[in-house]
Amino acid sequence: MTPTIFKSAAITSALLAGASVTATAQARPMTPEDVAKLESVGTMAISPDGSRIAYTTSALPDVTEGEDNGSFKQELKVATGPMFDRSFLPDEISPSGVSFSPDGRFVTFLWAKDDEDSAVWGVPVDGGTYVKLAAVEDTGVRSYKYSPDGATIYMLTGAGEDKQRAAQSKGGFNARVYEEEFRPARMFAATVGSEVDESPREIAIPGYVSAFDVSPDGSFAIVDTAPTPLVDDSYTQKRVNIIDLATGDIRAVVETPGKIDDVEISPDGTQLSLIAGVDMNDPAATTVHLVDTRTGIYRALNAGAAEAAVDTEWLMNGQLAVVVHVGVQSLLRIYNADGTVREEYDPGELILTRVEANGGKIVVAANAPQHPTEIFVWRNPEFQRWTSHNPWLSEITFGDQRAYTYTATDGQEVEGVLILPVGGVPEGGAPTIMNVHGGPEAHESNGWQTAYSKPGQVAAGQGYAVFLPNYRGSTGYGVDFAKQHQGRYTDPEFRDIVDGKKALVADGITDADRTGITGGSYGGYASAWGSTYYSDEYAASVMFVGISNQVSKFGTGDIPYEMYNVHSRAWPWDDWVKMLEVSPVYHVDKANTPTLIMHGEEDTRVDPGQSLELYRSLKVRKPDVPVRLVFYPGEGHGNRLAASRYDYNLRMMEWFDTYLKTGDRRAEMPDPRPQLAEGAKGAKAPEDDSED
């Protein structure tokens, strides 16, 4: 039976609160300085009676106005109605792991006070000071869960200090043995009382546990465990174990063959919902499964569907709410307890990303083309907006944004998200940036598409069109689509991007001679391929933490088995030449594209040497082609600090302005110093024309 799909024609008047462009005189394009100020909703939790939503907001220091550099700071807020919330903690506290105590009296969170390890804290919902609720000596709490009666707090912690190793390090013996010195996480149960339990009980857990949850009756726990804490094992060998909390015995193991993601326990404790891969070669966990908690036996609910499940939450009536992405859109699906579909809800322009439920209330996190993530409450069949951050977005003139579909050269239909220039497309087409996502087991949605490494509306405000293609290998279109790139690096996946460019040119949107490409990780691989093999197609390229040599990447990255299982389907030594032929460094002889390469110096996923290899090859073999390499000290596979993010956005846009917008592939290189906002530390004063 086909489920009824309810479309939310009006997502309540609150949806547009603070987000409409009303004052034409104030309208302006978005800037890199705006991106540096963006605030977004993080974790969220609902009180047991459904009257409150606790959530965190996340923002970086505003380095554009001279604030000290740093990473994201969280702020705890509690909402009690649409557009009515308040902060709950002093500014110096940056909480995580927000929840409620079972009696609803406390909002609970994780926090490391001063030089202490992280512990479980709580603040009364009716007002009062925050108090420590549970901790473990000599180690920090990573995550926690209450028992249903509120008498116990279960905690997953670090391994604790290795005193012998610490003593050796003080003596200068600080050598690190690669991929061997593992120490597993531990689990403890602390009694909740008027004082912090000084001697919490340790619970034996199998392997290296990364996450856990406690059943509604408190009789068992589920733990995500892998043989080692290596990233590769977390992708290829993580499994769900069901553990008896009274005895510590393993009741069952859910022997899924591939990747796993969100797992939740049903209200009656008889089932788990599990988002997982359907086999070892499934690129991503996107299929919903139901699991029998007595046996560990599982069954798929949406196997083969052209979609991706991204989050699940059980309702108190035994139904299951699932956020599903279908191509570039999303929906909320409700399953019955037996796995049949009850109904589906189309949220209109919203892109749902997470769902929570408690106290009879269903809450989703969602973004849209004109705002980052906010909180919405589902009031069947509408989604009512409860939070509104970044009020200054009302000043911004946005480029039109929509889904765009085209046919690749071999007949495959490919979809993506198209952002048009503010003011429309000029005659002859607009300069266009192909913004390629990583993975490739990921996908772009028709929601908020602007970030430090994503040109989005900043580019649209400067006259660019931006296209974000969901090329073959992407999720959101079913497992078969996601597997189409396997064993076939670069083709059809990167040919799909070129075909997208040609379709945009044919539709009069894109200027064929002024098309650029950018992306990070696998998108960086696409950008490097675009600047070498497909150099004739791209007037400029910005490569971020990308791959340039598939042979050397194998020995310098941290996911060799994952790459084999879901990408290459072959080892380098199976055919050395074939692996080299799908490496951008092999095609530098074709390079004629100005290329900006950026990379975090501490990247363990894609070694910074990948960027250095491409840079050196271009510099030596193609000395007339502009190339620049920028390293970010202290950054990894993506930038974390405010200054690094702002710097990246400035450099990316300046590179495109210099080479893509002009179409001049031999223009003079931009100044290596970023053109910072006047308020930023180190900014050049307007009257300072010195070269110092």
Side-chain angles (χ1 to χ4, degrees), residues 73 108 117 266 369 394 444 469 471 517 519 561 572 646 685:
K73 184 182 183 300
T108 58
D117 292 313
S266 66
S394 62
E444 302 289 2
Y471 56 99
I517 186 168
Y561 285 99
Y646 177 45

Side-chain angles (χ1 to χ4, degrees), residues 484-519:
Q484 280 197 49
H485 86 293
Q486 292 182 347
R488 304 168 63 188
Y489 278 139
T490 75
D491 190 349
E493 54 193 4
F494 299 159
R495 175 165 48 83
D496 284 348
I497 303 169
V498 172
D499 287 344
K501 173 200 167 179
K502 292 178 178 178
L504 290 166
V505 171
D507 285 343
I509 296 168
T510 291
D511 182 337
D513 295 327
R514 294 189 298 157
T515 303
I517 186 168
T518 190

Side-chain angles (χ1 to χ4, degrees), residues 497-582:
I497 303 169
V498 172
D499 287 344
K501 173 200 167 179
K502 292 178 178 178
L504 290 166
V505 171
D507 285 343
I509 296 168
T510 291
D511 182 337
D513 295 327
R514 294 189 298 157
T515 303
I517 186 168
T518 190
S521 193
Y522 211 88
Y525 180 24
S527 301
W529 193 253
S531 68
T532 54
Y533 184 87
Y534 279 130
S535 187
D536 288 347
E537 301 289 346
Y538 299 110
S541 173
V542 178
M543 170 192 178
F544 187 37
V545 294
I547 302 163
S548 70
N549 187 337
Q550 288 288 6
V551 175
S552 60
K553 182 192 180 298
F554 167 79
T556 56
D558 59 2
I559 51 171
Y561 285 99
E562 195 265 354
M563 293 294 289
Y564 174 86
N565 287 345
V566 306
H567 300 307
S568 64
R569 301 297 298 272
W571 299 109
W573 49 86
D574 292 336
D575 190 335
W576 291 106
V577 173
K578 179 181 178 182
M579 201 65 78
L580 190 59
E581 287 175 343
V582 293

Side-chain angles (χ1 to χ4, degrees), residues 671 673 675 683-692:
D671 191 320
R673 298 168 299 183
Q675 302 303 303
K684 183 180 179 181
E687 68 279 4
D688 181 8
D689 294 322
S690 71
E691 295 300 318
D692 296 335

